[in-house]
Amino acid sequence: LPTGEATTGHVSFKQRIEEVARDVAEYCGFSQGMCYSFESPKVFDRLLLPQDCPKREAIRISNPLGEDFSIMRTVSVNGMLTSLATNYNRRNKSVGLYELGNVYLPKELPLTELPDERMMFTLGMYGDGDFFSMKGVVEEFFEKIGMKGRRTYEPKADRPYLHPGRQADILYDGKLLGYLGEVHPQVADNYGIGTRSYVA
Protein backbone atom coordinates (compact mmCIF):
# COMPACT_ATOMS: atom_id res chain seq x y z
CA LEU A 1 0.00 0.00 0.00
CA PRO A 2 1.19 3.54 -0.63
CA THR A 3 2.48 5.31 2.46
CA GLY A 4 2.22 8.96 3.31
CA GLU A 5 2.44 11.38 6.17
CA ALA A 6 -0.78 12.95 7.43
CA THR A 7 -0.67 16.61 8.47
CA THR A 8 -3.28 18.44 10.49
CA GLY A 9 -5.00 21.29 8.71
CA HIS A 10 -5.07 24.78 10.19
CA VAL A 11 -6.29 28.24 9.26
CA SER A 12 -3.76 31.00 8.63
CA PHE A 13 -3.28 33.99 10.95
CA LYS A 14 -5.07 36.25 8.44
CA GLN A 15 -8.07 33.88 8.30
CA ARG A 16 -8.24 33.74 12.11
CA ILE A 17 -8.32 37.56 12.35
CA GLU A 18 -11.08 37.71 9.70
CA GLU A 19 -13.09 35.12 11.64
CA VAL A 20 -12.82 37.20 14.83
CA ALA A 21 -13.86 40.32 12.88
CA ARG A 22 -16.97 38.49 11.63
CA ASP A 23 -17.80 37.16 15.10
CA VAL A 24 -17.43 40.56 16.78
CA ALA A 25 -19.46 42.38 14.11
CA GLU A 26 -22.27 39.82 14.19
CA TYR A 27 -22.28 39.72 18.00
CA CYS A 28 -22.71 43.52 17.95
CA GLY A 29 -25.71 43.22 15.60
CA PHE A 30 -24.08 43.88 12.20
CA SER A 31 -24.91 41.87 9.07
CA GLN A 32 -22.37 41.02 6.39
CA GLY A 33 -22.47 42.91 3.12
CA MET A 34 -20.45 42.31 -0.04
CA CYS A 35 -19.47 45.03 -2.50
CA TYR A 36 -17.86 45.11 -5.93
CA SER A 37 -14.12 45.72 -6.29
CA PHE A 38 -14.90 47.74 -9.45
CA GLU A 39 -16.21 51.30 -9.14
CA SER A 40 -16.89 54.47 -11.07
CA PRO A 41 -14.41 57.40 -11.08
CA LYS A 42 -17.39 59.57 -10.01
CA VAL A 43 -17.13 57.98 -6.53
CA PHE A 44 -14.31 60.36 -5.58
CA ASP A 45 -16.50 63.42 -6.21
CA ARG A 46 -19.37 61.91 -4.20
CA LEU A 47 -16.94 61.41 -1.30
CA LEU A 48 -15.70 65.04 -1.64
CA LEU A 49 -12.09 63.89 -2.12
CA PRO A 50 -9.88 66.78 -3.33
CA GLN A 51 -8.45 66.61 -6.87
CA ASP A 52 -4.89 66.03 -5.60
CA CYS A 53 -5.89 63.21 -3.19
CA PRO A 54 -3.69 60.07 -3.66
CA LYS A 55 -6.84 57.90 -3.35
CA ARG A 56 -7.86 59.18 -6.81
CA GLU A 57 -4.87 57.33 -8.30
CA ALA A 58 -6.86 54.21 -9.20
CA ILE A 59 -6.14 51.31 -11.56
CA ARG A 60 -8.19 51.55 -14.75
CA ILE A 61 -9.72 48.36 -16.17
CA SER A 62 -8.62 47.82 -19.77
CA ASN A 63 -11.98 46.35 -20.90
CA PRO A 64 -14.63 47.64 -18.45
CA LEU A 65 -18.34 46.74 -18.61
CA GLY A 66 -19.03 50.49 -18.53
CA GLU A 67 -17.92 53.64 -16.72
CA ASP A 68 -19.61 52.51 -13.50
CA PHE A 69 -17.18 49.56 -13.26
CA SER A 70 -14.06 51.06 -14.86
CA ILE A 71 -11.61 51.38 -11.93
CA MET A 72 -10.41 49.21 -9.04
CA ARG A 73 -11.48 50.68 -5.71
CA THR A 74 -8.96 52.48 -3.50
CA VAL A 75 -11.43 53.18 -0.64
CA SER A 76 -13.97 50.77 0.84
CA VAL A 77 -16.37 53.39 2.19
CA ASN A 78 -18.23 53.93 -1.12
CA GLY A 79 -19.58 50.37 -1.20
CA MET A 80 -20.66 50.65 2.44
CA LEU A 81 -22.48 53.96 1.88
CA THR A 82 -24.20 52.55 -1.23
CA SER A 83 -25.44 49.58 0.84
CA LEU A 84 -26.65 51.86 3.66
CA ALA A 85 -28.44 54.06 1.09
CA THR A 86 -30.18 51.02 -0.41
CA ASN A 87 -31.42 50.00 3.03
CA TYR A 88 -32.49 53.56 3.90
CA ASN A 89 -34.46 53.87 0.66
CA ARG A 90 -36.21 50.56 1.43
CA ARG A 91 -37.34 52.15 4.73
CA ASN A 92 -35.28 49.94 7.05
CA LYS A 93 -35.29 51.92 10.31
CA SER A 94 -32.00 50.69 11.78
CA VAL A 95 -29.16 49.03 9.89
CA GLY A 96 -25.64 47.83 10.78
CA LEU A 97 -23.44 46.33 8.06
CA TYR A 98 -19.86 45.09 7.87
CA GLU A 99 -17.65 44.08 4.97
CA LEU A 100 -14.31 42.31 4.65
CA GLY A 101 -12.96 43.21 1.24
CA ASN A 102 -9.84 44.35 -0.57
CA VAL A 103 -8.81 47.77 -1.79
CA TYR A 104 -6.22 48.01 -4.58
CA LEU A 105 -3.46 50.59 -4.13
CA PRO A 106 -1.07 50.91 -7.09
CA LYS A 107 2.59 51.50 -6.34
CA GLU A 108 2.77 53.58 -9.53
CA LEU A 109 0.68 54.26 -12.63
CA PRO A 110 0.71 52.95 -15.29
CA LEU A 111 1.15 49.60 -13.58
CA THR A 112 4.57 47.96 -13.74
CA GLU A 113 3.93 45.51 -10.87
CA LEU A 114 0.96 44.11 -8.97
CA PRO A 115 -0.81 46.62 -6.70
CA ASP A 116 -0.91 46.45 -2.92
CA GLU A 117 -4.10 44.49 -2.13
CA ARG A 118 -5.21 45.43 1.39
CA MET A 119 -7.99 43.67 3.27
CA MET A 120 -10.26 46.26 4.91
CA PHE A 121 -12.70 45.66 7.77
CA THR A 122 -15.43 48.24 7.12
CA LEU A 123 -18.40 48.98 9.40
CA GLY A 124 -21.40 51.15 8.63
CA MET A 125 -24.62 51.92 10.49
CA TYR A 126 -27.54 54.28 10.99
CA GLY A 127 -30.59 54.25 13.26
CA ASP A 128 -29.95 52.75 16.71
CA GLY A 129 -26.46 53.83 17.74
CA ASP A 130 -24.05 56.71 17.39
CA PHE A 131 -20.33 57.56 17.23
CA PHE A 132 -19.70 55.95 20.63
CA SER A 133 -21.54 52.73 19.69
CA MET A 134 -19.24 52.43 16.68
CA LYS A 135 -16.21 53.14 18.88
CA GLY A 136 -17.39 50.33 21.20
CA VAL A 137 -17.41 47.83 18.31
CA VAL A 138 -13.88 48.89 17.31
CA GLU A 139 -12.68 48.51 20.92
CA GLU A 140 -14.30 45.06 21.15
CA PHE A 141 -12.51 43.97 17.96
CA PHE A 142 -9.10 45.10 19.28
CA GLU A 143 -9.74 43.36 22.59
CA LYS A 144 -10.72 40.06 20.96
CA ILE A 145 -7.68 39.88 18.66
CA GLY A 146 -5.32 40.57 21.57
CA MET A 147 -4.31 44.15 20.73
CA LYS A 148 -4.26 45.33 24.33
CA GLY A 149 -1.63 48.06 23.81
CA ARG A 150 -2.19 51.80 23.93
CA ARG A 151 -5.08 52.88 21.73
CA THR A 152 -5.70 56.55 21.07
CA TYR A 153 -8.23 58.43 18.98
CA GLU A 154 -6.94 61.51 17.17
CA PRO A 155 -9.83 63.94 16.49
CA LYS A 156 -7.91 65.86 13.77
CA ALA A 157 -8.51 63.12 11.19
CA ASP A 158 -9.43 65.56 8.38
CA ARG A 159 -11.23 63.04 6.13
CA PRO A 160 -13.48 65.00 3.73
CA TYR A 161 -16.28 62.39 3.66
CA LEU A 162 -16.67 62.51 7.47
CA HIS A 163 -18.27 65.22 9.62
CA PRO A 164 -15.47 67.70 10.54
CA GLY A 165 -16.33 67.67 14.26
CA ARG A 166 -17.29 64.01 14.64
CA GLN A 167 -14.41 61.91 13.33
CA ALA A 168 -11.20 60.38 14.64
CA ASP A 169 -8.17 58.46 13.41
CA ILE A 170 -7.53 55.23 15.32
CA LEU A 171 -3.92 54.96 16.51
CA TYR A 172 -2.32 51.91 18.14
CA ASP A 173 1.04 52.55 19.80
CA GLY A 174 1.29 55.65 17.60
CA LYS A 175 0.58 53.78 14.32
CA LEU A 176 -2.45 54.71 12.20
CA LEU A 177 -4.79 51.72 11.84
CA GLY A 178 -8.05 53.22 10.66
CA TYR A 179 -10.70 55.82 11.38
CA LEU A 180 -14.29 56.21 12.52
CA GLY A 181 -16.85 58.96 12.40
CA GLU A 182 -20.17 60.33 11.30
CA VAL A 183 -20.68 60.63 7.55
CA HIS A 184 -20.49 64.24 6.31
CA PRO A 185 -24.05 65.60 5.73
CA GLN A 186 -23.18 66.54 2.12
CA VAL A 187 -21.85 63.04 1.42
CA ALA A 188 -24.92 61.45 3.06
CA ASP A 189 -27.03 63.68 0.80
CA ASN A 190 -24.99 62.59 -2.27
CA TYR A 191 -25.87 58.96 -1.47
CA GLY A 192 -29.50 59.68 -0.54
CA ILE A 193 -29.16 58.80 3.16
CA GLY A 194 -31.53 61.11 5.05
CA THR A 195 -30.33 60.37 8.57
CA ARG A 196 -27.10 60.41 10.57
CA SER A 197 -24.90 57.50 9.60
CA TYR A 198 -21.55 56.27 10.89
CA VAL A 199 -18.63 54.36 9.35
CA ALA A 200 -15.36 52.85 10.61
Side-chain angles (χ1 to χ4, degrees):
L1 290 172
T3 59
E5 189 182 332
T7 57
T8 55
H10 69 280
V11 292
S12 68
F13 177 72
K14 179 177 179 285
Q15 289 169 322
R16 292 202 306 274
I17 297 293
E18 287 174 26
E19 198 174 314
V20 172
R22 276 190 201 91
D23 290 346
V24 167
E26 286 170 15
Y27 174 77
C28 293
F30 288 73
S31 301
Q32 186 168 15
M34 302 195 86
C35 304
Y36 291 115
S37 293
F38 305 144
E39 289 183 336
S40 164
K42 293 175 185 166
V43 160
F44 304 125
D45 293 330
R46 288 174 88 185
L47 292 172
L48 308 180
L49 292 177
Q51 290 300 323
D52 60 350
C53 179
K55 297 284 187 201
R56 284 183 177 263
E57 300 295 317
I59 301 162
R60 295 202 160 271
I61 310 291
S62 57
N63 55 347
L65 296 168
E67 194 195 8
D68 287 348
F69 300 100
S70 62
I71 60 168
M72 302 294 284
R73 68 180 181 172
T74 56
V75 288
S76 61
V77 73
N78 170 64
M80 181 55 68
L81 291 175
T82 304
S83 300
L84 290 177
T86 302
N87 278 277
Y88 181 79
N89 293 319
R90 295 218 159 75
R91 292 180 169 73
N92 290 325
K93 288 190 174 73
S94 182
V95 171
L97 297 172
Y98 75 93
E99 184 205 8
L100 285 161
N102 288 335
V103 293
Y104 304 86
L105 306 173
K107 295 178 180 79
E108 60 177 338
L109 288 173
L111 283 181
T112 54
E113 56 183 316
L114 290 173
D116 183 10
E117 286 186 42
R118 268 190 216 162
M119 174 63 72
M120 305 294 276
F121 179 34
T122 313
L123 297 160
M125 67 183 221
Y126 69 80
D128 299 336
D130 58 14
F131 178 91
F132 296 102
S133 316
M134 187 65 91
K135 183 171 177 252
V137 180
V138 171
E139 289 281 330
E140 182 75 12
F141 172 63
F142 285 144
E143 201 65 33
K144 288 287 186 275
I145 59 173
M147 293 176 75
K148 300 183 193 308
R150 188 163 169 270
R151 297 187 289 268
T152 52
Y153 295 86
E154 173 54 60
K156 294 184 176 68
D158 200 29
R159 294 180 193 274
Y161 45 87
L162 297 179
H163 191 294
R166 299 178 192 140
Q167 60 173 299
D169 277 341
I170 304 164
L171 304 172
Y172 183 80
D173 287 340
K175 185 176 180 182
L176 177 66
L177 289 192
Y179 61 87
L180 74 150
E182 182 183 321
V183 177
H184 193 291
Q186 179 61 54
V187 173
D189 198 43
N190 290 346
Y191 282 87
I193 305 170
T195 186
R196 286 185 175 185
S197 49
Y198 304 87
V199 293

